[in-house]
Amino acid sequence: MNKRIRKAIFPVGGLGVRFLPATKALPKEMLPVVDRPLIQYAVDEARDSGIEEFIFVTGRGKTAIENHFDYSFELLQTLKDRNMKEEIDAMLALSPNPGQIAYVRQQEPLGLGHAVWCARHLIGDEPFAVILADDLILAETPCLRQMLDVFEEMGGNILATMEVPHEHTSRYGIVDADLSPKSLRKIKGLIEKPKKGNAPSNIAIIGRYILLPEIFNELGKKKVGEGGEIQLTDALSSLIGTQPFYGLDFSGKRFDCGVKLGYLEANIAFALERQDLGPSLRKVLTNYGF
Ligand code: G1P
């Protein structure tokens, strides 16, 4: 029987330079899609998937994230005074329970692999999940839940994957795997942001991982990879052959909210899904010729 996954790491130390000046004083994970910050979607996905402990790896200038998940006495009092029951319920439902959130600081921005390694003492010796809030996924069953279902059956490391255009492979961690049209693939190799012509496939890693704790030993070696950073993909790659690795082509639509176009599309897609906004947004869009 495989161990249950209870903990998820949210690396939120990144600078967000692509969204300057919006991200000068605001963490990029706090950018809203419709009316919820990106990090809220990530936490909700984890919670809806059964995660019980939420570990944020933060950096300088990220206190707005801690405040967001905190109890806001003044705000609640004001809402109570105004008898805004719906809003009060929404505010109270937003945060995990006391003691379920932990924050650890990544003192230097040394890469995703380093960020995950910074949480090693909070994870200990059990399998865990990693969620990158930039990758927003609209799905009937939360993407992480789909991955946990696979983990509960097969064990091993599970990476969320999807096909990307061949000309985009240098933006992602790329998987060397069977190209058969299966949704679950055994991974034979991994390469972070391969140069043009070097990609073993066009199947990319998307920001959801289920990992076994042995990864921390690999990350502890602090090998510097692509972009001068300690890459999670490199550490995973060196464990291939010693542990099973699977790529799951999840069901759902992924939006790359780390770039402007993806972020704008996510806003439209999520608003169109909403009963309170979808019909009127459709009308507004017709004014623009859609
Ligand atoms: C990170 C990972 C990369 C993965 C991507 C998914 O890259 O290093 O392997 O494909 O997330 O979004 P980043 O986008 O942080 O450069």
Side-chain angles (χ1 to χ4, degrees):
M1 182 66 185
N2 292 307
K3 272 197 189 167
R4 211 159 58 87
I5 307 271
R6 303 183 303 123
K7 301 179 183 181
I9 299 178
F10 301 84
V12 291
L15 286 177
V17 281
R18 290 203 188 104
F19 282 88
L20 283 170
T23 48
K24 184 162 179 262
L26 181 80
K28 64 174 174 153
E29 298 79 11
M30 288 302 293
L31 290 172
V33 168
V34 188
D35 52 9
R36 275 156 77 197
L38 277 169
I39 190 65
Q40 182 77 54
Y41 287 93
V43 164
D44 288 349
E45 178 181 330
R47 214 158 31 154
D48 293 344
S49 302
I51 294 295
E52 294 161 7
E53 291 186 39
F54 305 79
I55 300 162
F56 292 81
V57 183
T58 71
R60 223 159 295 148
K62 299 281 181 167
T63 44
I65 296 177
E66 294 175 46
N67 291 337
H68 177 74
F69 290 105
D70 213 350
Y71 188 87
S72 175
F73 178 80
E74 282 174 20
L75 175 62
L76 278 174
Q77 194 53 51
T78 309
L79 294 175
K80 275 179 199 160
D81 293 345
R82 296 184 187 170
N83 211 10
M84 298 174 79
K85 208 175 158 329
E86 229 174 85
E87 286 77 4
I88 294 171
D89 290 346
M91 286 306 105
L92 291 176
L94 169 162
S95 306
N97 292 327
Q100 283 187 312
I101 302 191
Y103 298 91
V104 61
R105 192 102 164 202
Q106 183 188 23
Q107 286 112 325
E108 287 177 273
L110 297 180
L112 177 61
H114 180 255
V116 170
W117 180 76
C118 286
R120 65 200 179 284
H121 294 300
L122 296 170
I123 297 289
D125 189 27
E126 56 183 284
F128 61 97
V130 177
I131 297 192
L132 308 185
D134 278 0
D135 282 326
L136 181 56
I137 297 171
L138 185 58
E140 223 161 90
T141 305
C143 177
L144 186 64
R145 186 61 253 165
Q146 297 176 39
M147 296 168 73
L148 289 169
D149 289 343
V150 172
F151 177 80
E152 281 160 18
E153 204 189 315
M154 321 272 293
N157 300 274
I158 322 276
L159 315 185
T161 50
M162 68 180 247
E163 276 190 48
V164 297
H166 286 277
E167 61 274 23
H168 291 176
T169 49
S170 60
R171 300 179 187 174
Y172 297 94
I174 297 292
V175 160
D176 182 4
D178 208 344
L179 285 182
S180 65
K182 280 186 272 175
S183 67
L184 189 68
R185 298 189 182 90
K186 212 159 184 206
I187 294 177
K188 297 182 281 189
L190 290 167
I191 171 164
E192 180 67 10
K193 306 201 172 83
K195 302 255 171 320
K196 210 169 171 241
N198 260 357
S201 75
N202 65 331
I203 301 166
I205 307 172
I206 299 308
R208 304 285 183 280
Y209 308 75
I210 291 177
L211 303 178
L212 302 181
E214 287 75 21
I215 190 65
F216 291 122
N217 281 338
E218 275 317 306
L219 290 170
K221 296 178 185 164
K222 300 193 181 155
K223 279 197 206 136
V224 174
E226 207 279 327
E229 296 190 337
I230 299 168
Q231 297 291 352
L232 181 58
T233 307
D234 293 344
L236 294 170
S237 163
S238 44
L239 285 175
I240 292 176
T242 68
Q243 300 181 331
F245 277 81
Y246 301 100
L248 175 70
D249 275 14
F250 54 92
S251 334
K253 173 132 177 68
R254 171 257 186 179
F255 301 90
D256 181 0
C257 291
V259 299
K260 284 168 203 155
L261 201 59
Y263 174 72
L264 291 171
E265 189 187 350
N267 271 282
I268 295 169
F270 276 76
L272 286 174
E273 286 283 306
R274 294 244 308 233
Q275 281 181 359
D276 59 338
L277 286 169
S280 32
L281 178 59
R282 260 188 198 93
K283 277 189 206 143
V284 169
L285 289 175
T286 58
N287 298 340
Y288 291 85
F290 299 106

